[in-house]
Amino acid sequence: MIPFLDLKAINKQYQNELKEACARVIDSGWYILGHELSSFEKDFANYCGSKWAIGVANGLDALTLTLRAWKEIGKLKDGDEVIVQANTYIASILAITENNLKPVLVEPDPQTFNLSVESIRSNITPKTKVILPVHLYGQISPMKEIMGLAEEYNLLVLEDCAQAHGASLEGKMAGSWGSAGAFSFYPGKNLGALGDAGAVTTDDQQLYEVLRALRNYGSHEKYKNKYKGVNSRLDEMQAACLKVKLKYLNDEIKKRRIVAQRFTSEINSSLVELPRCDYDEGHVWHLYVVRTKYRKELTEHFSKNNIQTLVHYPTAPHKQRAYQDFNMKSLPLTERIHDEVLSLPISPIMSGSDVDYIIAAINGFSL
Ligand SMILES: *Cc1c(COP(=O)(O)O)cnc(C)c1O
């Protein structure tokens, strides 16, 4: 059986260092907002080429608290519009509505699944205040053009980097292009903790300071509360483990790229459409997502061959019960994507023979 992602085997590679890191935290007697976190924040900011990283409890909070911080700073107010691709994971949209902002759901580029500049431009209104590009599946969005638009219309840009740690465009990293970048370290992400964790990257000192307060009850100083903050902290244990795993992230990305390149050059089935990669050097292949009109049949074929596949994602956010207000919205391309996508197994520990086997299986698929 080829599993979709074998987290146990991925983390086993680093077990000695991870166990040492956990032991160090246990022995320190300090478990929240300590040296492990500030050290990881420094390493992660460095890695992303940003001035600061602020650790939070998860990726959703990284998005939600950044928008919230902009409200506290006075850059956003209730009802302002945020342009986001309609085919994203629901978290990107929850962060918007949680802040009483209005998500403007736009159709993505059909081949990269990311925001396209044309679709952003045609949806800008006087109420537009934020562009929220999600670097979906590990491919960075067209950030040069997006930042150009942001400058032209004076918009904030919040990059959703939950699937794109280490993705880059012309050497500039995801999370360092926009006004801020939101990351998730959910265990299955390319940089995964051993529990929940997230972070925001930014070069903006004011945003940095507000976020540091918001994640800790709105407090800069113990028992002084400037904002109605939340408890959303990245704990010492997760920070210590993330610090270990960050050292190996670039190696893991290289291994993912080798698998993706093989899929792209060796899969030749006329029944599936392969993902387009616009910025070859910068795609980190969190997911390898093909499209097919025959998803049900292909899934069954894989399953008969003992290959586990997943769908990211089966239902578009605007068709979810949680977003009943949007259920009548027509976004045909987004809906078709949700009906046709299938994610193949990809990971840094897949063997060459696993890759051979998956390629042979898909090339042998017939109706
Ligand atoms: C995983 C993910 C999130 C949320 O991250 P959590 O840490 O699970 O809260 C947000 N956006 C995207 C695109 C994601 O894939």
Side-chain angles (χ1 to χ4, degrees):
M1 161 83 169
I2 299 182
F4 184 74
L5 183 69
D6 188 347
L7 278 180
K8 185 170 155 182
I10 289 175
N11 287 323
K12 197 172 170 65
Q13 304 173 95
Y14 318 120
Q15 63 175 337
N16 292 338
E17 278 187 83
L18 289 170
K19 284 175 182 170
E20 262 168 49
C22 292
R24 190 170 69 233
V25 174
I26 294 168
D27 292 343
S28 76
W30 192 275
Y31 307 114
I32 296 281
L33 297 181
H35 297 302
E36 300 289 347
L37 177 61
S38 48
S39 166
F40 171 68
E41 286 174 334
K42 202 180 280 168
D43 287 0
F44 192 65
N46 253 337
Y47 179 83
C48 297
S50 292
K51 270 196 191 149
W52 289 292
I54 305 98
V56 294
N58 53 61
L60 174 59
D61 281 2
L63 291 160
T64 308
L65 293 177
T66 302
L67 294 170
R68 168 77 192 279
W70 283 332
K71 290 182 86 180
E72 296 291 351
I73 293 167
K75 291 186 174 176
L76 293 180
K77 58 177 186 322
D78 285 3
D80 283 347
E81 292 178 0
V82 181
I83 294 179
V84 62
Q85 70 250 50
N87 57 313
T88 182
Y89 180 55
I90 199 164
S92 327
I93 298 167
L94 290 170
I96 299 169
T97 52
E98 172 65 21
N99 279 292
N100 294 318
L101 301 166
K102 187 180 163 209
V104 176
L105 304 173
V106 308
E107 298 268 40
D109 177 307
Q111 259 118 36
T112 65
F113 309 98
N114 276 338
L115 269 179
S116 74
V117 185
E118 304 74 55
S119 60
I120 301 172
R121 191 183 279 282
S122 59
N123 281 281
I124 290 178
T125 74
K127 287 186 130 181
T128 307
K129 289 286 146 48
V130 184
I131 306 172
L132 202 163
V134 184
H135 307 315
L136 211 60
Y137 307 149
Q139 171 152 242
I140 196 162
S141 314
M143 290 313 293
K144 276 197 350 207
E145 293 83 354
I146 289 176
M147 294 316 292
L149 269 185
E151 199 161 313
E152 186 180 338
Y153 290 93
N154 193 25
L155 306 174
L156 295 160
V157 176
L158 173 54
E159 299 172 70
D160 183 337
C161 307
Q163 303 188 359
H165 321 70
S168 63
L169 170 58
E170 294 179 5
K172 192 169 162 60
M173 305 288 273
S176 73
W177 282 88
S179 329
F183 289 84
S184 162
F185 307 119
Y186 177 80
K189 306 287 173 161
N190 282 16
L191 177 58
L194 308 186
D196 273 316
V200 180
T201 52
T202 187
D203 284 348
D204 176 344
Q205 184 164 2
Q206 191 182 19
L207 178 64
Y208 164 73
E209 283 169 5
V210 176
L211 277 169
R212 280 179 52 106
L214 282 177
R215 73 172 175 190
N216 190 32
Y217 303 111
S219 165
H220 286 286
E221 219 182 298
K222 209 167 187 182
Y223 305 128
K224 281 200 171 169
N225 301 80
K226 187 165 177 189
Y227 311 105
K228 293 179 190 116
V230 298
N231 176 348
S232 179
R233 301 174 298 218
L234 198 175
D235 65 69
E236 292 288 282
M237 200 71 102
Q238 298 307 335
C241 292
L242 283 166
K243 208 173 134 73
V244 171
K245 290 190 72 181
L246 179 58
K247 290 192 294 181
Y248 302 102
L249 178 58
N250 282 344
D251 273 349
E252 292 206 341
I253 291 171
K254 272 190 208 136
K255 291 177 181 156
R256 285 175 180 274
R257 282 188 184 137
I258 291 168
V259 177
Q261 270 156 11
R262 287 203 54 200
F263 283 161
T264 300
S265 62
E266 296 174 44
I267 293 174
N268 56 28
S269 168
S270 57
L271 302 171
V272 305
E273 197 180 318
L274 301 182
R276 192 182 80 211
C277 174
D278 279 353
Y279 311 116
D280 207 23
E281 85 288 4
H283 199 322
V284 295
W285 298 104
H286 174 56
L287 297 170
Y288 193 94
V289 177
V290 301
R291 277 177 67 184
T292 174
K293 292 195 170 50
Y294 313 101
R295 182 168 70 192
K296 194 167 149 277
E297 293 83 350
L298 183 58
T299 308
E300 273 164 21
H301 175 75
F302 274 127
S303 141
K304 263 191 241 142
N305 285 281
N306 286 317
I307 297 167
Q308 189 189 13
T309 55
L310 294 176
V311 173
H312 298 89
Y313 299 92
T315 307
H318 73 282
K319 292 294 181 191
Q320 298 281 1
R321 186 183 175 281
Y323 284 117
Q324 269 170 329
D325 296 1
F326 302 144
N327 284 179
M328 297 309 290
K329 235 180 170 28
S330 169
L331 292 155
L333 176 56
T334 295
E335 286 151 32
R336 204 166 75 229
I337 287 174
H338 284 80
D339 289 340
E340 295 183 353
V341 288
L342 187 68
S343 307
L344 308 187
I346 186 166
S347 90
I349 53 160
M350 255 163 65
S351 68
S353 60
D354 284 351
V355 182
D356 292 341
Y357 183 73
I358 294 167
I359 293 168
I362 198 166
N363 288 342
F365 172 55
S366 60
L367 292 169

